[in-house]
Amino acid sequence: SFAYPLMSIAYCLSSLGLESLEDVDLICIDRHMGTWPKKGSQFGYQNALRRHHPRYDDNHRWNYLAEQSIQFYPAKLRWINHIDAHAASAYYPSGFDKAAILIVDGSGELAATSWYSANNGLIEHLGSINFPNSYGYFYSSLTQWLGFKPAVNEGKTMGLAAHGEVDNALLAHFREMIDDNGVINRRWFRYQYGSSQYFAPLWETTFGPARVP
């Protein structure tokens, strides 16, 4: 949403009995839209500016702490991988010492799905499926075809699914779109080319016209 999470920060500080960010040892921010030193990364700086209109300044997320005038020491700030950030935010508040972690996202800097082993506060990355092979974007494509906003309204698709019945014919098509290894059939999708329409014309050829919002 690009909204600054003041209430979330306040809750986290209060729950730990801290008075300000000066009491925090380390502040981690994902580099989802930053310049990330990974070969094949889809989120280079210029690409981020082209795809996302600046909401507050040209540097987007990676400068938002400073521009909100919160006092913190730069040495406390660490940029981390987007998918790793999801894994950490799932494991560390969970209360479990030992856990298996699966993160299924639209995309991070490169990975779209990653899995980990966690033990005694340490998280070990075990493997990933890289963009454009993405269960998340597959789900977003379906959400858009149903007439909802992709990357925003997937929760509506999820909620409606609970009221439906399994359709084996549809399931067969979905299995053609993305296989058990998470590899997409690119004939069905356009999101990987930066298109605002995530699904390819084959969706409407097969299932009929997309619902008009």
Side-chain angles (χ1 to χ4, degrees):
S1 67
F2 289 91
Y4 190 70
L6 289 173
M7 295 179 68
S8 299
I9 292 173
Y11 171 81
C12 290
L13 292 175
S14 175
S15 66
L16 294 172
L18 304 178
E19 294 184 0
S20 73
L21 286 178
E22 292 185 359
D23 299 324
V24 175
D25 295 326
L26 190 66
I27 299 172
C28 296
I29 304 178
D30 76 2
R31 296 209 65 165
H32 189 282
M33 287 169 50
T35 302
W36 188 254
K38 280 196 173 184
K39 184 178 180 180
S41 174
Q42 60 167 327
F43 287 109
Y45 177 74
Q46 293 301 324
N47 195 36
L49 294 183
R50 178 177 63 82
R51 296 181 64 209
H52 301 274
H53 182 72
R55 315 309 156 90
Y56 27 74
D57 79 353
D58 286 344
N59 285 323
H60 297 284
R61 287 187 193 177
W62 57 89
N63 205 32
Y64 74 157
L65 279 174
E67 64 189 19
Q68 293 296 328
S69 300
I70 287 182
Q71 292 183 348
F72 69 97
Y73 299 102
K76 291 185 176 183
L77 188 63
R78 181 175 299 173
W79 308 112
I80 63 173
N81 182 294
H82 180 81
I83 302 293
D84 291 347
H86 278 302
S89 66
Y91 171 62
Y92 289 119
S94 71
F96 293 106
D97 290 330
K98 190 174 183 178
I101 306 170
L102 174 65
I103 304 299
V104 182
D105 202 0
S107 66
E109 293 78 19
L110 186 57
T113 299
S114 290
W115 50 97
Y116 309 78
S117 174
N119 192 20
N120 292 326
L122 298 177
I123 299 176
E124 179 186 1
H125 175 256
L126 300 178
S128 293
I129 300 171
N130 292 337
F131 183 90
N133 300 307
S134 169
Y135 290 106
Y137 270 105
F138 157 73
Y139 207 79
S140 291
S141 299
L142 174 61
T143 296
Q144 186 179 43
W145 181 79
L146 290 172
F148 302 120
K149 188 173 182 179
V152 175
N153 293 147
E154 282 74 14
K156 293 181 179 180
T157 305
M158 190 179 300
L160 288 170
H163 298 280
E165 301 292 337
V166 175
D167 186 316
N168 288 323
L170 284 175
L171 191 59
H173 284 301
F174 292 157
R175 285 174 172 164
E176 181 184 345
M177 294 179 190
I178 188 165
D179 67 18
D180 291 341
N181 294 315
V183 177
I184 64 166
N185 183 335
R186 300 192 185 199
R187 297 190 308 122
W188 288 91
F189 302 100
R190 287 290 178 269
Y191 67 79
Q192 66 270 29
Y193 305 118
S195 173
S196 60
Q197 179 172 302
Y198 288 12
F199 58 87
L202 186 56
W203 279 72
E204 295 186 302
T205 302
T206 304
F207 305 124
R211 174 179 167 270
V212 178

